[in-house]
Each structure stands twice: as C-alpha cells, then as structure tokens.
Amino acid sequence: MSILEIAIASQIWARRHDKPRQAFEEGDGMKVLLRTAFTFIAFSLLIAGLNLAAGRPQVVAQQPAPVVAGR
C-alpha cells in the first residue's frame, strides 16, 4: 500500500469511529475566547522571555526608521 492509500484508509476508519458531534452551546464561545486569550498571552510571554534571554529586549522605536531610497 502506498502512503496515500494508508492515509485515506485511516481517515475512513477514524470517521466511522467518531462520536457524534454535540451541539454548540453558549458557554462554548466563552471557552474558545478564553483559550485564545490564554494562548496569545502565553505566546507573547514566551517571545518576550526568549528576547530577554538573548539580551535584546524589544523596544518601540525611539527614532523614525530610515526610508529605503533608490528602489
């Protein structure tokens, strides 16, 4: 069997054994929003920590960026 055939067979098998999907409830929207916010904050803290560990904290530009001339 080729890799494609195995992947398709796995998909078919997985869909047959899936549980039926539950209806979307009002509380689910808040859960999604909280998870998204948590992920964003965690990722931001990770990037800030990596920048701090590298010794180059990100700062807002204190002077205007030079314009690229002669394109």
Side-chain angles (χ1 to χ4, degrees):
M1 285 179 113
S2 72
I3 295 174
L4 181 61
E5 290 171 331
I6 294 171
I8 292 173
S10 296
Q11 280 293 98
I12 292 170
W13 184 86
R15 287 188 182 180
R16 285 185 184 169
H17 297 301
D18 273 350
K19 295 179 182 176
R21 243 182 134 181
Q22 297 176 352
F24 184 78
E25 297 176 10
E26 290 181 26
D28 292 342
M30 190 57 130
K31 286 181 187 177
V32 169
L33 184 63
L34 286 174
R35 286 181 185 168
T36 304
F38 176 76
T39 304
F40 178 77
I41 291 170
F43 185 71
S44 298
L45 288 174
L46 174 69
I47 296 299
L50 289 174
N51 281 333
L52 196 60
R56 51 185 180 130
Q58 286 186 333
V59 235
V60 177
Q62 296 173 353
Q63 57 189 6
V67 179
V68 178
R71 279 191 170 206

